[in-house]
Amino acid sequence: MISVKELKAANDLIKAYEKTFKKPIKPDKNKKLFTGVDLGTAYIVLAVVDEDGTPIAGGMQFAEVVKDGLVVDYNGAMQIVKKLKAKIEKSIGAELDLAGIAYPPGTDINDCRAIKYVAEACGFRVEYTMDEPTAANNVLHIEDGAVVDIGGGTTGIAVLEKGKVISVTDEPSGGTHLSLVIAGGKGISFLEAEKFKKDRAEHKSLMPMVRPVFEKMASIVKSSIKGHKIDTVYLVGGTCCFEGVEAVMEKQLGIKVVKPDNPMLVTPLGIALGSMREGKKEELLYE
Ligand SMILES: Nc1ncnc2c1ncn2[C@@H]1O[C@H](COP(=O)(O)OP(=O)(O)OP(=O)(O)O)[C@@H](O)[C@H]1O
Ligand SMILES: [Mg+2]
């Protein structure tokens, strides 16, 4: 399990990144910038860090252009990434060039290529590719445990041993299902349910309605980690912003569950940090 100190360091870094959405930082001209491009089922998120790993800027937009790691609306995805990139460039007064992308665990290499093409068509030089749990672990620094990423469309589970991903599962159950249940239960539209669900003040009263969905996710996690010695589960992904998900998981799994303060931003930031680290390695090679 990561220590309290390590979790605090991860939370501080995520918080610093979160702040840059509203208050981007003017980068040092002598330092290289690295962008993480996260194309998800529900959100497209960009994260920019400098060569020291300091968060510089961020941006996100709700988008239905990717389904289960597959780009289903290439032009739509491109337009959003282009817009987010231009907005960040304007706000920091610098151009973004080097970038990394991540693919959901278990996706086909061809689907991953489509994600890369979208970023490249927007003017990024995509030099770094990683799987999503590895990206998340660039922020969390877990040695042994399981990363559970509950996003919009899927729940991805990765088992880590000695800091490396050794087994992955990705099952179709995510925040979209929560919204569908809320929409049905309250007699409102899907988009209204999406908005409603993100209001923290509503989480407590919504819990009885969505608990079965979380329990289903927990049962997926349980069967995915079977046979592995896991003492801690780490929650990432936007759906884990829902208050109380950690308690439901902990009860169902019977093991410790750790949730960073803003689980939604872990993977995008981790893509940028992973790119930065790889970029540094290359520099050392060519020196
Ligand atoms: N504050 C919140 N409370 C509850 N749910 C939230 C909150 N913020 C975002 N979400 C949900 O999180 C989901 C998006 O999370 P994330 O950005 O991790 O997914 P994604 O990467 O786009 O999807 P996937 O990983 O399945 O491809 C959406 O279903 C969204 O409604
Ligand atoms: Mg995701």
Side-chain angles (χ1 to χ4, degrees):
M1 200 185 120
I2 59 172
S3 66
V4 173
K5 204 171 143 200
E6 284 166 324
L7 182 62
K8 184 177 180 309
N11 277 332
D12 287 348
L13 193 61
I14 300 163
K15 183 125 226 131
Y17 166 46
E18 197 178 346
K19 275 193 187 152
T20 67
F21 278 70
K22 283 206 176 114
K23 267 193 167 175
I25 291 172
K26 287 262 175 277
D28 181 336
K29 282 199 175 62
N30 301 313
K31 286 183 183 168
K32 273 190 192 161
L33 297 177
F34 297 86
T35 306
V37 180
D38 186 4
L39 294 194
T41 310
Y43 282 88
I44 293 185
V45 190
L46 258 55
V48 183
V49 300
D50 70 10
E51 62 188 41
D52 300 327
T54 305
I56 297 292
M60 67 159 92
Q61 189 175 321
F62 183 77
E64 290 174 302
V65 294
V66 174
K67 292 237 181 312
D68 306 333
L70 196 79
V71 180
V72 290
D73 178 2
Y74 187 87
N75 274 326
M78 213 175 78
Q79 268 164 26
I80 294 169
V81 174
K82 251 192 188 153
K83 199 180 95 189
L84 290 171
K85 179 175 183 275
K87 198 172 160 204
I88 291 177
E89 286 177 334
K90 196 169 166 221
S91 72
I92 63 171
E95 265 188 41
L96 301 176
D97 168 37
L98 284 170
I101 54 149
Y103 52 91
T107 20
D108 189 83
I109 183 79
N110 290 315
D111 303 340
C112 164
R113 246 181 241 142
I115 298 177
K116 186 169 180 241
Y117 293 155
V118 169
E120 284 177 346
C122 298
F124 280 116
R125 207 155 32 108
V126 181
E127 306 226 325
Y128 316 101
T129 304
M130 62 205 92
D131 64 76
E132 289 179 350
T134 300
N137 207 26
N138 290 325
V139 177
L140 299 172
H141 303 294
I142 304 157
E143 277 294 309
D144 300 293
V147 174
V148 173
D149 178 353
I150 315 180
T154 62
T155 294
I157 302 109
V159 175
L160 287 121
E161 251 181 45
K162 297 196 176 83
K164 292 263 174 299
V165 177
I166 58 150
S167 115
V168 292
T169 325
D170 210 29
E171 292 284 338
S173 189
T176 301
H177 305 87
L178 240 68
S179 300
L180 286 172
V181 166
I182 295 168
K186 295 224 165 256
I188 55 177
S189 74
F190 174 78
L191 285 178
E192 279 169 328
E194 265 288 316
K195 214 170 146 205
F196 195 62
K197 183 184 71 174
K198 281 182 227 149
D199 183 355
R200 194 173 263 233
E202 302 293 343
H203 287 176
K204 215 171 179 176
S205 63
L206 283 174
M207 189 45 114
M209 197 182 270
V210 297
R211 186 186 296 273
V213 187
F214 285 136
E215 285 174 350
K216 167 85 174 64
M217 290 163 179
S219 77
I220 294 171
V221 175
K222 200 167 195 167
S223 52
S224 309
I225 61 175
K226 211 172 165 189
H228 297 280
K229 252 181 76 192
I230 304 286
D231 66 0
T232 316
V233 161
Y234 299 84
L235 297 181
V236 302
T239 297
C240 294
C241 293
F242 200 96
E243 264 182 40
V245 56
E246 59 279 26
V248 179
M249 281 278 169
E250 209 159 68
K251 187 162 175 228
Q252 297 293 315
L253 299 173
I255 50 179
K256 177 135 187 76
V257 173
V258 171
K259 171 168 121 167
D261 292 344
N262 190 344
M264 186 159 174
L265 297 182
V266 177
T267 304
L269 176 60
I271 304 173
L273 289 173
S275 307
M276 179 274 294
R277 214 184 46 203
E278 288 304 309
K280 271 194 169 165
K281 264 194 218 158
E282 279 166 19
E283 243 171 50
L284 285 174
L285 268 174
Y286 293 113
E287 251 171 27

